[in-house]
Amino acid sequence: MPAQTPDSARYGLGALRQTSWLNLGIVVAAVAGTAGAFAYAGGWIAPQRLSQGRIIDRFEQVNGQHPGFRRNHAKGLCFAGWFDGNGEGERLSKAAVFRAERTPVFGRFALAGGQPYQADMAATVRSMAVNFALADGEIWRTGMNNIPVFPVRDAAGFYDQLAASKPDPATGKPDPARMSAFLAAHTEAGRALALIKAQAPTAGFADASYNSLNAFRFVAASGASTPVRWSMVADEPPQAPQPASAGNADPNRLFDALETRVERGPVRWHLLVTVGQPGDPTADATVPWPANRERLDVGILTVKSVQDEAEGDCRDVNFDPLLLPDGIQPSDDPLLSVRSAAYSESFTRRAGEPKSPSAIQLSANAGGARP
Amino acid sequence: MTSTTLFPAVSRLLHWLMAVMILAMLFIGVGMVTSPDWYHWLLSVHRPLGAAILVLAALRLLNRQLNPPPPLPRDMPSPMKAMAHLSHVALYALMFAVPLAGWGALSAGGYPIVLYGAIHLPPILPQGAALYTALHMAHEILALLLFATFLAHLGAALAHALVFRDGVFESMASLKAAASRQAEPGAR
Ligand code: HEM
Ligand code: HEM
């Protein structure tokens, strides 16, 4: 035990002189070590780590700066409507949305890609995002695409794909050498892109079906947990797309067609839940499940009206795929957490930026007042 | 060894419990925004743990009124005492401000604030995109300030234990069940 220091001296320089190097070392090492561990955890000494910030930086490098817009699926239109559950889903999930009752929804139709003013093209991936306001106060958000599988299975794949598909300024097309290097490094992407290409796109937003792609788990009141994927399947029979050259140069033709369609009356989709079997891959969104899996129809989504982003409810919302109600859980798919992180970063950046008008401007609220 | 009066046992319990929780939260916070694969899992822990810290901070402030801390050693120079006092005020303020900014950010961002399963926190602010981004930034800056204040606190605590050897460290670090009320010479 150290000798008692005289009171007057124990806070002065004398105290330091009387302290062993060991004791001083402990103080310094504890503080420096904690600071160092914190810097490591926060990625400051490993800046090459694929953080959500770096993923969103890459979107901005590839697409340019478009303040106020989503860093992906930048061009879009809001919708409002409702979902009528039919009670069938209660077998698999205790979430209130699956009861035989009506749930108010709003959502967003969009084109994939970080260019808010890109011209509509049938081949561009189309998306539907939905916010369900459940009767018990919970929220469910989901974003779905009109392709059968996702091209990549993890964050690194996504990051590399973004860079590889950046158009070469000279040709306006992705550099084939970089594309083949990407496909060689991520063999799952080649198989997935072949499946995506094999599914012809439909004419527009209203006759397209949208898929969750990622797997989730439904948890029933009994506690039973089932792997699932889901799809919003159009009630409208799918039409072949109009060739782009057919005298229709309107850069917003897909969105305009949707507006016209909604003005004629509500558009409907069935929410079909694909029930996974043991062995179906849940951690790989590039691989489809066998075609004979049960598809449970759990209710009907009605899109009653559409609004442009400044008017509607969808712009200042993050359709984070992991905002799930009790009764739906994430699967072990690694893309889910990465999406959640990247969407948060995109939302945090764009929410604080000044807004420019969306490419889609509606003259009036198509489909009448919001329900 | 000199010793001051110990902190009351409840205060020591709250102190060490919250020390572990807050330090863990700071690491979880900076880790989750740089590790997308762990983001969801860490954020699912971050919200309820942060809410628990807010509740404990309120209990702790109340406890501080009921069970005041022992005085600092009488001979501690007054600038040093002022520093100690200031850092403690900062720690208390940040224990409230950091979780409130996080809760407020999620409220303004229109997020459901899930603690566990169907258990949610209510929003404490109206929805507003610019407000969300501002509070998100405030949460980050205040959390980093909390970490900086914590480092100063850690350094000071260890200096009390190993350099000044004035019993201040022991007054919080003692495992004795009851606070001894008799001060030894030099403690006051
Ligand atoms: C790691 C892979 C992925 C990354 C990094 C990523 C990134 C993003 C980002 C940054 C946004 C904009 C978010 C916002 O600001 O609100 C977005 C939107 C969207 N993403 Fe992804 N995404 C990924 C995978 C997927 C997958 C697998 C799907 C499957 C369906 C998907 C569907 C959507 C949809 C539908 C939207 C539009 C939501 C809206 O309209 O607001 N994404 N994505
Ligand atoms: C003492 C309590 C807390 C501490 C020490 C803490 C600390 C942190 C830290 C260090 C970060 C990372 C900041 C960055 O670098 O961007 C963070 C982010 C965050 N925290 Fe907290 N936090 C606390 C409480 C809370 C609470 C109560 C909530 C919500 C209920 C919350 C919600 C969030 C959110 C939403 C993020 C940002 C996630 C993102 O950007 O994607 N925090 N927190």
Side-chain angles (χ1 to χ4, degrees):
Chain A
M1 216 166 269
Q4 167 101 39
T5 333
D7 282 0
S8 47
R10 43 179 202 187
Y11 298 105
L13 270 180
L16 269 185
R17 240 177 280 127
Q18 293 209 357
T19 305
S20 69
W21 285 110
L22 177 65
N23 281 5
L24 276 182
I26 293 174
V27 178
V28 172
V31 173
T34 311
F38 191 69
Y40 177 75
W44 287 286
I45 31 187
Q48 75 285 357
R49 192 185 298 166
L50 192 46
S51 66
Q52 60 202 57
R54 281 188 65 216
I55 295 175
I56 298 304
D57 287 347
R58 178 148 286 184
F59 275 107
E60 294 176 356
Q61 287 150 11
V62 170
N63 298 300
Q65 301 283 338
H66 303 286
F69 289 99
R70 284 169 167 79
R71 292 335 191 226
N72 196 8
H73 296 247
K75 183 179 185 182
L77 184 66
C78 300
F79 71 79
W82 56 82
F83 175 75
D84 290 309
N86 58 18
E88 292 294 324
E90 284 186 290
R91 197 185 94 202
L92 297 175
S93 169
K94 62 187 168 191
V97 66
F98 298 119
R99 294 180 201 148
E101 58 188 38
R102 179 164 289 188
T103 301
V105 307
F106 68 83
R108 186 169 179 271
F109 290 101
L111 291 181
Q115 312 262 6
Y117 302 109
Q118 66 174 314
D120 296 2
M121 287 198 288
T124 308
V125 172
R126 272 165 252 164
S127 67
M128 172 198 270
V130 190
N131 177 95
F132 298 83
L134 276 54
D136 62 0
E138 292 186 273
I139 298 283
W140 175 27
R141 294 200 186 136
T142 175
M144 297 158 287
N145 288 344
N146 72 335
I147 43 176
V149 289
F150 202 63
V152 293
R153 65 157 78 103
D154 56 18
F158 194 86
Y159 192 70
D160 293 346
Q161 187 200 22
L162 269 179
S165 47
K166 180 185 163 91
D168 184 333
T171 63
K173 289 201 163 10
D175 177 349
R178 293 180 72 178
M179 204 51 181
S180 49
F182 160 72
L183 291 172
H186 302 276
T187 48
E188 82 274 15
R191 289 190 296 270
L193 288 169
L195 291 171
I196 293 169
K197 241 178 139 174
Q199 180 191 290
T202 65
F205 281 103
D207 65 347
S209 297
Y210 303 90
N211 305 309
S212 73
L213 305 184
N214 297 117
F216 292 81
R217 301 197 77 90
F218 274 10
V219 181
S222 67
S225 169
T226 314
V228 297
R229 286 172 171 174
W230 58 73
S231 305
M232 285 288 181
V233 177
D235 227 11
E236 215 105 308
Q239 309 282 321
Q242 299 252 314
S245 53
N248 191 349
D250 175 4
N252 302 329
R253 59 202 177 88
L254 295 181
F255 287 100
D256 290 349
L258 174 64
E259 179 192 354
T260 312
R261 171 62 191 81
V262 169
E263 267 163 4
R264 274 209 333 268
V267 195
R268 296 195 172 81
W269 282 263
H270 284 259
L271 177 52
L272 297 192
V273 175
T274 308
V275 184
Q277 294 290 320
D280 290 347
T282 51
D284 192 342
T286 65
V287 179
W289 284 355
N292 63 0
R293 290 292 174 259
E294 178 190 1
R295 296 187 95 196
L296 186 64
D297 187 341
V298 299
I300 296 176
L301 171 76
T302 300
V303 170
K304 170 68 170 50
S305 61
V306 291
Q307 303 82 28
D308 55 49
E309 287 193 292
E311 275 303 308
D313 296 323
C314 73
R315 188 188 63 194
D316 297 338
V317 163
N318 175 359
F319 289 98
D320 176 341
L322 291 182
L323 294 178
L324 301 168
D326 198 24
I328 309 181
Q329 287 178 355
S331 68
D332 55 354
D333 186 338
L335 273 185
L336 284 171
S337 184
V338 175
R339 285 179 72 188
S340 192
Y343 292 28
S344 169
E345 180 73 20
S346 171
F347 180 61
T348 304
R349 291 191 191 181
R350 67 185 173 85
E353 295 165 346
K355 302 292 182 289
S356 319
S358 160
I360 324 292
Q361 297 290 320
L362 301 192
S363 36
N365 191 6
R370 274 175 256 169
Chain B
M1 189 176 92
T2 50
S3 75
T4 57
T5 326
L6 297 183
F7 272 86
V10 197
S11 310
R12 277 178 277 147
L13 181 71
L14 280 168
H15 173 272
W16 290 109
L17 181 64
M18 290 190 72
V20 172
M21 290 169 74
I22 292 173
L23 194 58
M25 271 303 269
L26 288 163
F27 276 85
I28 290 172
V30 295
M32 73 189 179
V33 297
T34 46
S35 316
D37 288 335
W38 293 98
Y39 175 82
H40 176 69
W41 189 82
L42 289 172
L43 188 54
S44 311
V45 176
H46 193 87
R47 284 180 310 252
L49 192 56
I53 289 171
L54 187 58
V55 171
L56 285 175
L59 287 177
R60 189 165 173 188
L61 199 59
L62 187 71
N63 174 65
R64 202 172 197 277
Q65 308 310 311
L66 301 177
N67 296 312
L72 288 168
R74 203 176 19 175
D75 57 326
M76 204 169 132
S78 32
M80 219 183 240
K81 278 188 179 161
M83 287 271 288
H85 184 66
L86 203 72
S87 71
H88 297 158
V89 171
L91 284 170
Y92 268 96
L94 290 167
M95 277 190 289
F96 285 96
V98 173
L100 281 173
W103 184 0
L106 290 180
S107 309
Y111 284 86
I113 310 162
V114 179
L115 290 185
Y116 183 80
I119 306 166
H120 288 208
L121 284 179
I124 47 171
L125 286 173
Q127 218 169 314
L131 183 62
Y132 162 78
T133 301
L135 284 168
H136 186 283
M137 185 178 284
H139 185 64
E140 176 174 354
I141 292 171
L142 292 171
L144 295 181
L145 259 177
L146 176 56
F147 183 70
T149 319
F150 161 75
L151 276 189
H153 183 74
L154 174 71
L158 290 175
H160 279 288
L162 300 171
V163 180
F164 313 140
R165 284 168 287 187
D166 56 0
V168 167
F169 180 81
E170 290 75 6
S171 72
M172 185 55 92
S174 166
L175 279 174
K176 283 207 203 90
S180 92
R181 278 289 163 200
Q182 96 249 36
E184 281 177 37
R188 200 163 178 144

